[in-house]
Amino acid sequence: MNALHQYLLDSYRAEQRGERMPPMPGTHDIATLRAVRDSRRFDAVVAGRPARARLRTALSRLLHPRAC
């Protein structure tokens, strides 16, 4: 059963019971991704790490090591 089938089943049950309809699949995906991103940035700042460009910084360290 995929998400659409589950949504249709839940919608049918909600209609039969007179309850609120569930949100459609994917309705809150963007908001969830933004919340996860913000949480990771906050955790990085609290831990004393840079909040942005962490991947770019790590890649530049690997690709351009300092000559010793």
Side-chain angles (χ1 to χ4, degrees), residues 4-63:
L4 180 60
H5 293 137
Q6 185 65 47
Y7 170 72
L8 293 173
L9 183 63
D10 291 342
S11 298
Y12 175 76
R13 287 181 184 162
E15 182 70 30
Q16 295 296 316
R17 297 177 182 173
E19 299 173 352
R20 257 183 52 199
M21 298 292 273
M24 290 186 65
T27 302
H28 303 293
D29 288 354
I30 299 297
T32 302
L33 291 174
R34 285 183 182 147
V36 168
R37 180 194 63 196
D38 292 344
S39 175
R40 290 185 61 133
R41 284 183 179 172
F42 178 77
D43 292 342
V45 169
V46 170
R49 299 187 312 263
R52 292 186 173 197
R54 291 184 290 166
L55 179 61
R56 185 180 302 156
T57 304
L59 287 174
S60 67
R61 282 187 202 143
L62 286 174
L63 296 174

